[in-house]
Amino acid sequence: MDIIKQPWPWYVAGPLIGLIVPALLILGNKTFGISSTLRQICAACIPANISFFKYDWKKDTWNLFFIAGIVIGGFIAAHLLSNPGPVGINPKTIVALQQQGIKDFSGLLPQDIFSFKALTTLKGFVFMVIGGLLVGFGTRYAGGCTSGHAIMGISSLQWPSLVATCCFMIGGFVMTWLILPYLLQL
Amino acid sequence: MKNLKFLLVGICFGIILIKSEVISWFRIQEMFRLQSFHMYGIIGSAIVVAMIAIVLIKRFNIKTIYQEPIVIPDKKFNWGYVYGGLIFGLGWALTGACPGPLFAQIGSGILVTTVTLLSALAGTWVYGLLREKLPH
């Protein structure tokens, strides 16, 4: 039980995530990918006569069960399989982030930026609202996210997914190194 | 009822995302600062294991539990993969989350992530609205 309660190392978590790909294929020819559920929810709730949202989203209901499962899994892991608490990141990262103004390292996300209180500040708005917009717009424009392109796409040897994944990384490096230092000063 | 098995797979995925701390903003920062192997190890080993599984499925002609042949649709390149990919990357480093982890964060009790998720839905919606006008 102690092993389950500790944070899992990459060589345990990574292969387990990899096994989700064949599991979904064998359980019903489903390809792993999360961002398509965002399109589905839009199609179901706010289609607004936009052609992109006029499709038979009910055919992919399995996907909605899958994300409901992720929410439940998150609940189970956080409440029954012990609280992760402070994340054991590299001390160098902590020092660098402290220099850029982050004070709180107690949870999974820094409370200075991600909290209901921070939402009323410009910083919180930029990180949560603008960040969310970029994630939603970008994944759909790119036709997939980390699960659909990086894991499902590359493992099934789709070269366009490799291109998309490289662009994910480039975007992330640009944000972290060139833009984030300014945004953290807001 | 047919869909309940996907709920179970989702539960497993959600647990792994939390237990491996993939959903932590700090882990994503560490990755983009090249100060840890953790995220690269997770994504890399997931790809290798999935790749081996797909090779085995093809090699032994493994079928679904309904005895249907397994088909993986091909992805056709368009420039949206590049433009969208770069935009997603910016958002990934900012929010510290991709779509899967957003759901796991909410489940784990970080309720403020609901705001990020609603924004992501709005972003997807705006893409749908502008799609015809965007270069692909």
Side-chain angles (χ1 to χ4, degrees):
Chain A
M1 204 55 194
D2 270 358
I3 298 170
I4 292 177
K5 289 201 164 185
Q6 279 164 10
W8 297 353
W10 65 265
Y11 48 84
V12 173
L16 287 175
I17 293 174
L19 288 176
I20 291 175
V21 169
L24 293 177
L25 287 171
I26 291 171
L27 288 175
N29 250 330
K30 309 298 184 198
T31 48
F32 183 41
I34 312 280
S35 61
S36 49
T37 58
L38 300 178
R39 180 187 179 195
Q40 253 179 301
I41 297 171
C42 285
C45 303
I46 28 172
N49 214 15
I50 296 168
S51 63
F52 187 62
F53 298 123
K54 284 194 278 185
Y55 71 105
D56 188 9
W57 58 270
K58 284 184 186 144
K59 264 177 81 180
D60 288 326
T61 315
W62 76 273
N63 232 326
L64 300 176
F65 278 81
F66 187 58
I67 54 166
I70 297 176
V71 175
I72 299 169
F75 181 87
I76 294 173
H79 292 86
L80 304 176
L81 305 173
S82 107
N83 193 350
V87 180
I89 51 169
N90 188 334
K92 283 185 199 156
T93 310
I94 296 183
V95 171
L97 287 171
Q98 272 171 342
Q99 280 167 354
Q100 295 180 356
I102 299 224
K103 297 179 199 86
D104 186 299
F105 291 85
S106 63
L108 290 167
L109 309 178
Q111 294 276 316
D112 326 62
I113 307 173
F114 300 93
S115 67
F116 283 107
K117 213 177 128 200
L119 196 58
T120 54
T121 65
L122 179 61
K123 196 199 258 183
F125 180 84
V126 168
F127 277 80
M128 289 182 269
V129 178
I130 307 288
L133 282 172
L134 293 172
V135 167
F137 185 89
T139 49
R140 203 65 267 127
Y141 198 173
C145 57
T146 337
S147 51
H149 275 315
I151 296 175
M152 183 71 218
I154 297 180
S155 69
S156 57
L157 307 178
Q158 312 281 332
W159 70 266
S161 287
L162 184 63
V163 174
T165 304
C166 290
C167 292
F168 297 165
M169 296 307 294
I170 294 168
F173 284 121
V174 168
M175 175 56 74
T176 300
W177 292 93
L178 305 179
I179 309 175
L180 211 63
Y182 297 100
L183 295 181
L184 284 169
Q185 302 306 318
L186 289 175
Chain B
M1 286 313 270
K2 238 180 132 185
N3 284 320
L4 274 184
K5 50 187 181 296
F6 299 114
L7 185 86
L8 290 176
V9 181
I11 291 175
C12 296
F13 187 45
I15 292 174
I16 303 164
L17 288 176
I18 300 277
K19 291 309 300 177
S20 61
E21 299 174 334
V22 166
I23 63 151
S24 168
W25 186 87
F26 296 112
R27 285 283 180 207
I28 305 298
Q29 272 300 304
E30 215 184 27
M31 164 177 75
F32 285 127
R33 286 166 193 271
L34 299 171
Q35 286 168 330
S36 169
F37 182 68
H38 188 77
M39 289 294 304
Y40 297 103
I42 288 185
I43 298 175
S45 61
I47 293 172
V48 170
V49 168
M51 202 182 280
I52 294 170
I54 290 172
V55 168
L56 293 176
I57 284 174
K58 288 191 176 153
R59 174 83 175 71
F60 295 103
N61 218 0
I62 295 171
K63 298 211 162 53
T64 69
I65 53 171
Y66 305 109
Q67 294 306 310
E68 293 156 356
I70 288 175
V71 209
I72 301 173
D74 276 328
K75 292 188 198 273
K76 283 208 177 61
F77 179 79
N78 69 64
W79 283 95
Y81 286 22
V82 172
Y83 307 130
L86 292 170
I87 294 169
F88 167 64
L90 295 172
W92 189 13
L94 206 51
T95 62
C98 21
L102 285 177
F103 292 104
Q105 284 179 353
I106 293 170
S108 78
I110 308 172
L111 295 179
V112 76
T113 308
T114 317
V115 177
T116 318
L117 178 64
L118 288 174
S119 274
L121 283 169
T124 303
W125 191 85
V126 170
Y127 169 75
L129 184 72
L130 303 178
R131 197 166 78 105
E132 319 276 291
K133 297 185 186 94
L134 296 168
H136 278 89

